[in-house]
Amino acid sequence: MQNNENQQRIKTIYRMLLELASGNLAFRIPTNSPDVPFNELASQLNDIAEKMERLGYTYPYANTKSNIEQTGETAAIVVQKVQDYILNHLEEPLPTTKEIAAMFGTNEFTLKENFRRFLKTSIYQFYNEERLKKAHQLILQTNLTLKEIAFTSGFNDYISFYKAFKKRFDYAPSAMPRKLPEDSPASKNGENS
């Protein structure tokens, strides 16, 4: 329960930052959380938005020809939803950008443009980077075989996983230290803990 609340708080802060980046200075984070540090951060972000609004700050890269509102949601929210979707479906093949755009009620060009604008990467690069980060964590924290980790991280085969991993981290997955099984003699002796 606590972890879900923390994730929600982080998402709220992230949304505020995306709203500020997209020029929506009216968005505010409620400061009624029992988490005092969160309330302090939320208050600081709200103050920044208020000051920017008072100074008449406008988003300098706004494209006056495109409508930022998409079915009542800002582009930042759509990008955040796509990001959340990708993070929650890393083990599955990535749908085409056209399919993702349809899922979130926008068009492919606008989605690609806004994703790159807010996250400074393409949808596929984000997906691939997150799969590799997940695999890296699984190697360090589990006893799964490297082949199982490859599939759990959304790769269709070990060879593709190996090549992508080595290219990203400059070392092979097998070169990483592994968590020993609980019942191994080395873990009982306190080795590699």
Side-chain angles (χ1 to χ4, degrees):
M1 181 74 175
Q2 181 75 16
N3 194 23
N4 286 342
E5 290 172 2
N6 286 339
Q7 285 181 338
Q8 272 309 116
R9 290 183 191 122
I10 291 168
K11 284 182 180 181
T12 302
I13 289 169
Y14 185 68
R15 178 175 176 204
M16 176 67 168
L17 294 172
L18 284 172
E19 293 291 343
L20 287 172
S22 68
N24 179 5
L25 304 178
F27 184 81
R28 297 292 186 272
I29 300 174
T31 56
N32 56 356
S33 168
D35 184 350
V36 174
F38 172 79
N39 286 339
E40 289 173 3
L41 182 57
S43 182
Q44 290 173 349
L45 289 171
N46 289 341
D47 289 345
I48 290 169
E50 191 174 312
K51 286 176 186 171
M52 290 171 69
E53 199 170 28
R54 238 181 302 137
L55 294 171
Y57 173 83
T58 56
Y59 181 61
Y61 306 108
N63 181 351
T64 55
K65 293 182 181 177
S66 72
N67 181 9
I68 292 191
E69 291 295 315
Q70 300 171 3
T71 64
E73 298 177 311
T74 65
I77 294 170
V78 172
V79 169
Q80 184 177 1
K81 286 182 177 183
V82 170
Q83 183 182 24
D84 289 344
Y85 171 82
I86 292 170
L87 291 173
N88 290 323
H89 296 88
L90 289 174
E91 67 283 350
E92 300 169 12
L94 184 67
T96 66
T97 51
K98 189 173 187 174
E99 291 168 333
I100 295 171
M103 289 167 57
F104 293 94
T106 187
N107 70 55
E108 184 178 7
F109 176 79
T110 303
L111 176 61
K112 285 179 179 180
E113 182 180 81
N114 288 330
F115 201 90
R116 189 170 291 282
R117 184 174 90 194
F118 289 116
L119 300 179
K120 309 294 184 231
T121 188
S122 72
I123 293 170
Y124 180 75
Q125 287 169 332
F126 175 79
Y127 167 71
N128 206 44
E129 178 69 17
E130 292 302 319
R131 290 191 306 167
L132 291 169
K133 284 197 270 187
K134 177 181 180 180
H136 196 275
Q137 286 298 91
L138 288 172
I139 292 169
L140 289 173
Q141 297 174 353
T142 70
N143 296 320
L144 296 173
T145 67
L146 292 176
K147 195 171 188 177
E148 289 172 320
I149 290 172
F151 290 117
T152 303
S153 301
F155 289 88
N156 292 330
D157 58 73
Y158 180 76
I159 299 298
S160 299
F161 165 69
Y162 177 88
K163 288 178 182 177
F165 192 96
K166 186 155 171 92
K167 181 178 179 182
R168 167 61 179 86
F169 295 108
D170 291 327
Y171 49 84
S174 57
M176 290 185 60
R178 297 300 310 266
K179 179 181 176 185
L180 293 173
E182 299 289 325
D183 57 349
S184 75
S187 68
K188 288 180 182 173
N189 295 332
E191 295 176 26
N192 204 13
S193 301

